[in-house]
Amino acid sequence: NVWERIRITSQDRQDYLDEKTIEYINSYLKHPNQLSKLFEKGRYFIFFILEELERYNLPSELALLPYIESSYDPFSISSSGAMGIWQFMPATARIYGLKDSWWYEQRHDPLLSSKAAVRYLAYLHNRFKRNISYTLAAYNGGPTLLEKQIKLNKQSGKTTDYRNLKLPKQTLEYVPKFMAIRELVINSKKY
């Protein structure tokens, strides 16, 4: 089963849960039926994504990312123009080979967009020295912004933990949202 596979092969063994992550965990637990429906939405694609992640030696828990991005909805479109289960922006989609035409938008294709997203995640994960929090923050807010903020904090003698970087609110909440879903899957017996 995919949940057991994610549990067993999870690469990030972080036990510490910050206050914001606990807040999101509690929010999910208040609505167990909605959480079950959310998890069910990934059923058709999560195995394929796990296989792709494995090919690139990436943490299996990254298969949970589309729950945060789009609730695993291939037809999801954000107000900023991001599309598909991975919420690719047009420029990033083009860089990773996703095409659009008047009749077919590949960002909506869960298999093609997943292959592209895993390649992008592999690039980010390697660029940020396999730090999952940085990988997630870069996926959401962009790698250039993240690097700039890390550099600024280093120059100021401040800590470079993503929580202490000057990042958009959405990015600062993105990592705890993901970590909450991850925690509920990895330690499901606890909850």
Side-chain angles (χ1 to χ4, degrees):
N1 117 5
V2 295
W3 310 117
E4 194 61 30
R5 184 172 174 181
I6 292 170
R7 248 189 305 284
I8 291 168
T9 61
S10 170
Q11 291 182 13
D12 184 29
R13 299 289 177 200
Q14 177 187 5
D15 291 328
Y16 169 73
L17 300 173
D18 66 17
E19 190 175 314
K20 196 68 174 168
T21 302
I22 292 169
E23 193 178 302
Y24 281 116
I25 289 170
N26 289 333
S27 175
Y28 287 125
L29 291 175
K30 281 182 190 174
H31 308 286
N33 289 340
Q34 287 179 340
L35 184 61
S36 292
K37 285 179 186 176
L38 176 66
F39 283 142
E40 182 62 24
K41 289 180 178 183
R43 113 185 268 193
Y44 297 106
F45 314 119
I46 197 165
F47 180 78
F48 176 80
I49 293 168
L50 280 170
E51 293 287 305
E52 286 297 302
L53 290 167
E54 190 174 284
R55 284 183 51 219
Y56 284 85
N57 195 29
L58 289 170
S60 61
E61 55 265 39
L62 288 173
L64 304 171
L65 199 52
Y67 288 119
I68 307 305
E69 285 292 333
S70 65
S71 300
Y72 260 99
D73 179 0
F75 301 105
S76 178
I77 302 173
S78 77
S79 58
S80 64
M83 289 185 191
I85 65 173
W86 294 96
Q87 290 294 283
F88 267 110
M89 292 297 287
T92 310
R94 279 191 299 278
I95 290 168
Y96 284 88
L98 296 176
K99 298 175 178 35
D100 68 11
S101 67
W102 64 272
W103 105 286
Y104 182 51
E105 170 61 79
Q106 289 184 337
R107 289 183 289 167
H108 287 300
D109 184 311
L111 302 181
L112 289 176
S113 67
S114 291
K115 285 182 175 210
V118 170
R119 284 195 321 274
Y120 184 40
L121 287 166
Y123 163 73
L124 294 173
H125 205 54
N126 289 327
R127 181 172 175 172
F128 292 100
K129 298 177 177 62
R130 305 188 70 75
N131 179 312
I132 191 99
S133 296
Y134 283 171
T135 301
L136 295 167
Y139 189 87
N140 181 261
T144 305
L145 172 67
L146 182 63
E147 277 183 340
K148 178 183 174 188
Q149 296 307 318
I150 291 169
K151 184 178 179 182
L152 287 172
N153 273 27
K154 280 182 180 177
Q155 289 172 345
S156 301
K158 297 177 183 173
T159 180
T160 58
D161 182 271
Y162 85 92
R163 288 173 284 247
N164 298 313
L165 301 175
K166 189 175 179 182
L167 297 171
K169 183 178 187 236
Q170 178 188 10
T171 303
L172 290 172
E173 292 187 1
Y174 186 82
V175 177
K177 277 182 191 176
F178 174 84
M179 292 301 182
I181 290 282
R182 180 200 169 279
E183 173 69 10
L184 290 170
V185 169
I186 303 284
N187 295 310
S188 59
K189 289 179 175 78
K190 177 178 169 182
Y191 299 99

